[in-house]
Amino acid sequence: MAAKDDVEGVDKTIQGSCESFHIGHHFQTSAKDTPEVEEVEHVEKITWFVLALTSCVCLSGFLFGFDTGVISGALQPIRDEFQLNDVLSELIVGATTLGAIIGGLFAGFCSDRVGRKPITLLSSVVFVVGAIVIAAAPNFGVLIFGRLVVGFGVGLASMIVPVYLSEVAPRTLRGRLTTINVLMITFGQLVSYLINIAFAKTNEGWRYMFGIAAVPALIQLCILPFLPESPRQLVVKGRTEQATAALTKIYGKSVPEFFVQSELSQIEQSIEISKAGTYRELFKPYNRKPLIISCALQAAQQLSGFNCAMYYAATILHMAGFRDNSSSTYFSIVVSATNFLFTFIALTIIDKVGRRRILIYSMVAMIIGLWALGGAFAGQQGFMTLQDNCNYGTNCARCVQDSSCSWSISQGMCAITSGLDPADIFQSSTGCPPQAHDQALTGILFASLVVYVAGYALGLGNVPWLMQSELFPLSVRGKANGIATAVNWACNLIISTSFLSMTNGVSAAGTFWFYGGLSILFWIFALFEVPETANRSLEEVRRLFTKE
């Protein structure tokens, strides 16, 4: 989420030219000794080789989603075992994001020098090592190190997989196949929640939750050596014969030789165009506004608080009264499944509905969900913040969120757990005496969370990545995507390391209303500044910013 990442090199085919997996194209070739022009039709279709290659590479996307989602169900058991406070808990969550920032920068710097395939292989190794380190962590320090290692792998995958896929996919299938990585990220998050449930009642089950991530990484590590480097990278290195062989495998042996040579020629041209672009050009007036739009949409994606719903889903439901870890994780499954389902829906309708329209309407739904979520927490817990010495009075719902506090039966109020007779601590699924409005508030809270996630998955979860691949000319597209992606990860780090502290400082209701307020500001920006790019050529999009 998790993240969807840099789609450098994805051309206009992502805008809907892929109406099916069998697409007709006409190519012209001149006879060697005559002026006549022969028109040859070539029908592109996906090959088993491309399917196998895509499936293998997208395992990195799956691991990206798994390793960012698994913390949701693992966090509470980790807190219990290592006796962690909220700040240390945020460090565990944020360590992966910090590692991802480093990994993304490393991949961006090294991928052109060493190639797409070696970086993808490196991400597999890192995922395996990180999974083992976390699963065997004897103390908090090693656990943090393991999360940093896994984060480094996430950063590598987030940067290199979309690029690798866009360069090995057939031209007219590129958009369709690249979006598979988006689905694999959300699918990885969904599977991580299922794994959380499977080991929720196992002694030190959180170790298995993290350790199992090594399995798909090992599978990828075994298959990748037999797959080719991207043709573009082979051309950059001057290995033209290998690039030709790779293109032949990608398109199938039945393709005519002139078609492969045409593809090779286009790759060479795009490389020359990319070399011509500079960062100075990126900040010229006709690129400045697209850059602002791209960065603003990436910031909106994170500052809407969505990754809190992913990273802290079980914790949020814990706040809502689901005291048992397995129960809160069960409900987290619905949240993750909603994200997966509506991401899939978005990818099937976004070309027909349009990027801008789906963004504007889905953000309204997301904002409604956020404000309703805050309202449900306000009705349940009020606006009480973290108190010293369990001074929560008769606010039981807020009392039991403090790990040092419990509800005293004899006193009818919140008290320090260590000072109470165990028989005097109220025991129930929520830790509080039942109230008439409990069921209604819990229902509103859960429904609001689902609406929020669905709205996000339809719009902000996809549109920023897609639009930033369409707003810039090829010469600066990679550089612009790198800057916008850096904004995304930086905002992700801010959100993931501040959520628990914010709920303690301004209450859960105040936190979600804060996210809702920021989302309203970004919605206004989108309403007035974000253009429609669907069904427009790249040249038409460029004219939107140069017509003045």
Side-chain angles (χ1 to χ4, degrees), residues 381 384-400 402 405-409 411-416 420 431-433 435:
Q381 303 176 14
M384 185 167 287
T385 58
L386 183 67
Q387 303 292 310
D388 294 329
N389 302 316
C390 299
N391 291 322
Y392 299 102
T394 58
N395 191 332
C396 183
R398 185 60 185 89
C399 166
V400 296
D402 192 324
C405 308
S406 297
W407 187 258
S408 169
I409 299 172
Q411 299 176 51
M413 63 183 297
C414 190
I416 300 174
L420 293 174
C432 292
Q435 301 292 324

Side-chain angles (χ1 to χ4, degrees), residues 415-489:
I416 300 174
T417 303
S418 59
L420 293 174
D421 186 323
D424 192 29
I425 298 175
F426 189 85
Q427 301 292 335
S428 73
S429 60
T430 64
C432 292
Q435 301 292 324
H437 60 270
D438 283 352
Q439 191 170 1
L441 282 176
T442 300
I444 292 172
L445 188 148
F446 186 66
S448 302
L449 186 58
V450 170
V451 169
Y452 166 49
V453 171
Y456 173 91
L458 276 175
L460 272 179
N462 295 284
V463 172
W465 300 109
L466 181 53
M467 288 197 72
Q468 76 180 35
S469 71
E470 300 170 331
L471 292 175
F472 301 95
L474 183 61
S475 60
V476 295
R477 190 178 303 159
K479 296 175 178 64
N481 286 353
I483 292 174
T485 301
V487 170
N488 181 287
W489 279 116

Side-chain angles (χ1 to χ4, degrees), residues 15-30:
Q15 294 190 15
S17 60
C18 310
E19 292 302 324
S20 70
F21 280 158
H22 294 75
I23 303 174
H25 286 276
H26 294 275
F27 301 93
Q28 292 183 338
T29 179
S30 298

Side-chain angles (χ1 to χ4, degrees), residues 271-330:
I271 291 171
E272 291 303 315
I273 293 173
S274 297
K275 288 179 179 178
T278 64
Y279 279 101
R280 179 175 297 179
E281 182 186 350
L282 185 58
F283 291 96
K284 289 182 178 179
Y286 51 83
N287 284 324
R288 191 183 304 143
K289 187 172 181 179
L291 183 63
I292 291 172
I293 291 172
S294 295
C295 291
L297 290 179
Q298 292 291 7
Q301 188 182 85
Q302 295 301 326
L303 298 180
S304 65
F306 173 75
N307 274 327
C308 292
M310 288 293 101
Y311 299 157
Y312 297 102
T315 303
I316 292 170
L317 292 166
H318 208 252
M319 293 176 181
F322 298 95
R323 305 297 296 165
D324 182 67
N325 289 335
S326 59
S327 297
S328 59
T329 304
Y330 276 118

Side-chain angles (χ1 to χ4, degrees), residues 38 126 227 250 366 487 510 521:
E38 179 189 3
V126 171
L227 299 178
I250 289 168
M366 186 190 77
V487 170
L521 295 178

